[in-house]
Amino acid sequence: MTRPTATPASSFSALRQRPWVRWAVPLLLVVVLAVLPLVLTEAANDTLARIGVFAVAVLGLNVVMGYTGQISLGQIFFLGLGAYVTAYGVTNDWNIVLVFVLTCLIPAVAGLLVALAAARLGGLAIAMVTIALPIVGVPLAKRLSEFTGGSQGVSARFTDAPEGSGLYDDQWQLYLVLVIGGIVFVLTRFLVRGKYGRAFAIVKGNENVASSMGISPYRYKVLAFTIASLIGGVSGFLYMVVVQYTSPETMSFGHSIELLVAMVIGGAGSIAGSLLGGAFYVVVPNLTNAVDPSLTALLQGALLLVVLFVLPGGLVSLPRAVMRGLRRSPAGRGHAAPPTTPSPTTGSGPAAEEPDTERLGRA
Amino acid sequence: MSTHSRSQRALGIAVALALAVTVSACGGRDAGRSGDAAEGAPSPGITDTTVTLGITTPLSGPTAGPGTCTVAGVTAYFGAKNAAGGVGFGDGKTRTVEIQALDDTYDPQQAAANYDQLKGEVFAMTAGLGTPTNRAWREAAIADEVPQVLIMTGDPLFSDTQQSPWQLGFVPIYQNEGAAFGELLASSGAAHRVAILSQNDDFGAGYVEGFKSAIEGAGNIEVVGELTYEATDTSVDAQITDLANSGADVFFNAMSVTPLVIAALQKAQQLGWTPSWFLPSNTSSPTAILEPGGAAAFPGIYSVSFAKAPQSPAFAQDPDVVEYLAALKQYGNYPDPPAFPHCHWSWMIGATLEQAFQNMKEPTRDSFMEALRAIKDFQAPLMLPDTAVTTSESGQPAVSTVVVQKYNGRGYDTVEAFE
């Protein structure tokens, strides 16, 4: 691929490809995230921690829907299951590491069992099966009251800052969310950018092509669903870290749809989009409450429509939309005839710059 | 290769953080954490001229109707007081009372988020509706020493002073209601056979527990059938048919789902089973439940109450009711006469809070809790005779006395004996 050196945009991207920049950006991010909890207010820390919880839940949904293209409406069930497992373990004084491992394993196994059956059906049938999860989950949680505390729910405070750390509870909780959530995000990034991610993308694009390439659509659908359930379980653990209480309402069907909305608004098939989706899930109810508490549902619906009309690719496409606008406007006024120059950058447009995995993931 | 996506991600994270920080900056002005206030210094949310109360309650979604009422009543009460100059406090100052209400859509997570947002700005949290939505931040409120008082849940946990030092429920707990009917039945002297149908959760179990403890040892009462149903069930026809066969002449129906109550009333008539009924206070509305259910066919429909029903013709000229309905329209942003009792319960919460304000010696949350827990036999406006607000009894909510009432075809009359 020939690289033109004249345009400022390409020299900018060349700078960004220098090795030290590659390392500096994530490093800077880690430093900022490490310092942030110490300088922010309690309210800001609480909000950030909540964003982390739901960003992880949306990330799980993205693995199965955004990257693999299978409709799942049951993600909230795995969050709820993870939260209940955590609450049960904590109230019975189990080792917290064991609790965390179980919080990953039990939802993953549940997800695996569901997927083994559902992925065979394919298409909309998966959506139907996954709808059933929260619908069954709520009455089940009410009935199994010796484990779940029934409809009164169960609370578990286990994330007070340890003695001697000098941290406030909200800072400690945010650190837990940042570390656990951060690890999940990094691992998921490697997953979807690597061999498995490419297989997911092909399954999403065309199952017949996948089969002809020796990729079993069934196996990869089950894998994606299981990973999504596992990540959902982790988000349930984080939910207990931050909210410290769960009840059957946690996994009500409406929240599953809200997670789906958050994923689409953030940007389907995108790691950064999951983060934005989590932010949307948490921040928007607070915003609409600040505007008028009696009109929250109406305002949220209006906002959803506006975002989808203006940014069909989700919030994550905002920088690209802005860049495209910026690149176009000086080109039209400043240079006399860029459209006639057959430059590879201007000619092929921004889509050509998209990395392959990203494009496949969104196809 | 993936430079573009990296810059996207960095930008995305920056946007997310900016959003979050902006929102929280609007919410929390002080960076200080709870617990670093000096002894005797004023608590957050109170100045020499104002005091701010917080409410988190469902204002949208399926429970928005009662939820909106929980805000409207107390807002109307203090709106009228503020217009008249404010409320006199025990420390000699006169303050106006502001209400900050947030919508939690009956979602515990959102309720906890609302609490986090409000705790630094409000003096006390009050009046919120819902058991899970109040339980979600109960422990946090205890840790932060923020009052969570006069809330609308029949969950006994909030009225247990040992476990919930910063909490107090307002409405009678489920056991109070069941017990009131049990006592009336036991004192009737005549022999009765009782069938029990209850919701299979803490709600139903609470009613049955109260009822059974009241009839314990009463030789004239025999429980001949006892069944449960799930709150998610769409029909209880099978249970009604089964219980009809028991030949009971009294039917204790601890049910919280409106359509199921109507269906149960109709099913019993189809079967020709016409016992006397007991219904919980929140599913005994004459217009919304008893009329569509054809309740006139039964010899008696009993329920319990502690408040005058503002929509009842019997109380249309009552000065309390007239004042309440006018204030609700003028200050509560609630133009029509409300269909939910939560509006006038919330009004009574306002009156109870005023009692506590008048007796608190210092502008602190400690002093407020002390004053609130010392109210005895306070006859709040709209209360029925023989009921009162008493906050000093551990294990009991602010209102634990209820009177049994009987449906008269249009509304309810208080009854002294079971006929």
Side-chain angles (χ1 to χ4, degrees):
Chain A
M1 190 175 176
T2 52
R3 193 179 304 282
T5 48
T7 57
S10 64
S11 66
F12 187 51
S13 78
L15 172 77
R16 272 198 256 113
Q17 257 182 348
R18 297 254 171 85
W20 67 269
V21 181
R22 278 180 170 221
W23 285 108
V25 171
L27 205 65
L28 193 71
L29 202 68
V30 169
V31 171
V32 167
L33 288 179
V35 174
L36 215 53
L38 300 176
V39 295
L40 288 177
T41 63
E42 184 179 0
N45 281 347
D46 283 334
T47 308
L48 279 181
R50 279 201 174 78
I51 290 175
V53 172
F54 290 101
V56 171
V58 171
L59 181 74
L61 192 58
N62 243 327
V63 169
V64 69
M65 275 189 85
Y67 289 103
T68 318
Q70 305 305 309
I71 299 168
S72 167
L73 301 171
Q75 183 69 2
I76 200 74
F77 172 80
F78 298 105
L79 187 154
L81 185 60
Y84 271 123
V85 170
T86 309
Y88 187 76
V90 167
T91 46
N92 286 295
D93 286 326
W94 294 352
N95 184 308
I96 196 67
V97 178
L98 174 74
V99 171
F100 181 73
V101 170
L102 287 177
T103 311
C104 299
L105 279 182
I106 293 176
V109 170
L112 177 69
L113 292 176
V114 172
L116 282 175
R120 266 193 204 288
L121 302 167
L124 287 174
I126 294 189
M128 293 302 110
V129 171
T130 53
I131 280 183
L133 289 175
I135 292 176
V136 171
V138 173
L140 207 61
K142 284 184 178 165
R143 209 173 277 212
L144 298 173
S145 53
E146 59 264 47
F147 299 108
T148 63
S151 57
Q152 291 177 318
V154 50
S155 53
R157 273 179 90 82
F158 64 103
T159 49
D160 291 349
E163 296 281 328
S165 66
L167 292 171
Y168 290 105
D169 291 349
D170 54 293
Q171 294 170 338
W172 174 246
Q173 287 164 13
L174 181 53
Y175 275 125
L176 284 177
V177 171
L178 285 177
V179 169
I180 297 173
I183 292 171
V184 173
F185 264 83
V186 169
L187 290 179
T188 307
R189 184 188 179 279
F190 285 131
L191 178 88
V192 299
R193 293 285 158 82
K195 181 178 111 186
Y196 291 102
R198 285 192 293 276
F200 288 160
I202 295 166
V203 170
K204 182 186 181 183
N206 188 327
E207 291 188 18
N208 293 332
V209 171
S211 303
S212 72
M213 292 168 77
I215 293 168
S216 158
Y218 174 68
R219 202 171 294 166
Y220 278 94
K221 279 191 227 168
V222 171
L223 181 70
F225 200 86
T226 307
I227 292 171
S229 314
L230 189 150
I231 297 176
V234 175
S235 74
F237 181 84
L238 296 178
Y239 185 94
M240 287 310 288
V241 166
V242 177
V243 182
Q244 304 175 331
Y245 170 86
T246 184
S247 72
E249 271 75 20
T250 302
M251 53 166 106
S252 80
F253 182 60
H255 299 321
S256 222
I257 298 299
E258 284 166 27
L259 275 185
L260 181 64
V261 167
M263 188 200 78
V264 174
I265 292 272
S270 157
I271 298 281
S274 307
L275 209 51
L276 292 172
F280 183 87
Y281 189 100
V282 172
V283 171
V284 165
N286 293 353
L287 276 180
T288 52
N289 252 330
V291 176
D292 186 344
S294 56
L295 293 177
T296 48
L298 190 72
L299 290 171
Q300 285 171 32
L303 193 64
L304 173 65
L305 286 178
V306 168
V307 173
L308 286 182
F309 275 126
V310 178
L311 291 169
L315 291 174
V316 77
S317 64
L318 181 66
R320 204 182 318 143
V322 171
M323 287 291 231
R324 201 181 304 158
L326 285 180
R327 222 174 283 165
R328 243 173 233 163
S329 52
R333 273 172 279 140
H335 307 282
T340 53
T341 346
S343 146
T345 28
T346 48
S348 53
E353 278 185 17
E354 239 178 68
D356 290 347
T357 47
E358 280 276 304
R359 195 171 59 228
L360 279 172
R362 220 176 266 120
Chain B
M1 159 181 130
S2 58
T3 54
H4 209 94
S5 67
R6 181 155 356 100
S7 73
Q8 264 176 25
R9 193 173 59 248
L11 249 169
I13 289 163
V15 171
L17 290 181
L19 260 175
V21 173
T22 317
V23 165
S24 49
C26 301
R29 273 181 291 275
D30 57 335
R33 265 68 177 175
S34 48
D36 45 9
E39 194 74 22
S43 296
I46 190 163
T47 69
D48 283 352
T49 52
T50 62
V51 60
T52 308
L53 302 172
I55 303 177
T56 171
T57 202
L59 298 173
S60 65
T63 33
T68 308
C69 256
T70 59
V71 178
V74 69
T75 308
Y77 187 85
F78 284 117
K81 289 284 168 192
N82 291 346
V87 175
F89 277 60
D91 60 355
K93 301 200 168 71
T94 301
R95 297 182 173 92
T96 54
V97 182
E98 311 294 333
I99 309 279
Q100 271 206 37
L102 295 179
D103 178 18
D104 62 31
T105 70
Y106 210 74
D107 175 10
Q109 182 269 130
Q110 186 61 40
N114 289 347
Y115 163 73
D116 282 341
Q117 203 177 332
L118 290 172
K119 69 182 174 193
E121 302 169 44
V122 302
F123 181 68
M125 299 289 293
T126 186
L129 172 78
T131 301
T133 46
N134 273 303
R135 278 204 175 215
W137 49 279
R138 185 186 71 96
E139 298 199 8
I142 296 170
D144 300 334
E145 304 191 339
V146 175
Q148 179 185 16
V149 293
L150 308 181
I151 48 175
M152 292 205 204
T153 163
D155 184 348
L157 176 68
F158 292 96
S159 303
D160 182 328
T161 327
Q162 295 296 316
Q163 290 188 65
S164 305
W166 289 88
Q167 280 77 9
L168 183 63
F170 183 73
V171 293
I173 56 177
Y174 312 132
Q175 285 82 346
N176 295 146
E177 294 202 1
F181 184 68
E183 279 161 19
L184 187 81
L185 206 57
S187 66
S188 70
H192 291 292
R193 293 156 61 80
V194 184
I196 297 175
L197 178 61
S198 63
Q199 194 162 301
N200 188 17
D201 59 11
D202 55 294
F203 174 87
Y207 274 92
V208 174
E209 183 193 325
F211 178 75
K212 283 189 172 168
S213 70
I215 59 166
E216 206 179 314
N220 56 334
I221 311 296
E222 187 194 352
V223 176
V224 292
E226 189 173 354
L227 292 175
T228 62
Y229 72 97
E230 298 301 323
T232 46
D233 285 354
T234 52
S235 165
V236 289
D237 287 0
Q239 286 94 326
I240 298 288
T241 311
D242 212 356
L243 290 173
N245 288 333
S246 68
D249 66 329
V250 176
F251 181 32
F252 186 85
N253 188 7
M255 198 175 255
S256 77
V257 186
T258 302
L260 281 186
V261 179
I262 297 172
L265 285 165
Q266 291 168 341
K267 183 69 188 172
Q269 288 170 60
Q270 279 174 22
L271 296 167
W273 182 41
T274 52
S276 292
W277 283 58
F278 168 81
L279 286 171
S281 59
N282 63 347
T283 45
S284 56
S285 158
T287 48
I289 292 178
L290 298 187
E291 276 173 27
F298 298 96
I301 302 277
Y302 295 85
S303 187
V304 294
S305 179
F306 61 92
K308 298 169 185 169
Q311 54 277 66
S312 152
F315 295 114
Q317 303 305 318
D318 187 284
D320 281 358
V321 171
V322 172
E323 187 193 349
Y324 154 74
L325 286 177
L328 201 61
K329 195 180 268 184
Q330 193 179 351
Y331 302 106
N333 191 23
Y334 209 102
D336 308 315
F340 303 97
H342 304 80
C343 272
H344 56 259
W345 294 348
S346 174
W347 174 268
M348 296 154 89
I349 287 173
T352 310
L353 285 170
E354 191 188 2
Q355 286 292 306
F357 289 155
Q358 283 170 357
N359 291 321
M360 58 188 263
K361 298 281 176 274
E362 288 167 1
T364 61
R365 289 166 171 170
D366 282 299
S367 179
F368 167 72
M369 284 306 287
E370 206 175 301
L372 183 71
R373 287 207 192 277
I375 297 172
K376 265 205 181 74
D377 289 326
F378 166 58
Q379 189 79 28
L382 295 173
M383 280 199 116
L384 287 167
D386 298 329
T387 64
V389 173
T390 298
T391 55
S392 49
E393 268 179 77
S394 180
Q396 296 292 346
V399 178
S400 60
T401 46
V402 287
V403 293
V404 180
Q405 297 195 306
K406 188 178 178 186
Y407 180 56
N408 61 12
R410 295 178 68 189
Y412 281 97
D413 297 322
T414 304
V415 290
E416 301 297 330
F418 185 83
E419 297 134 26

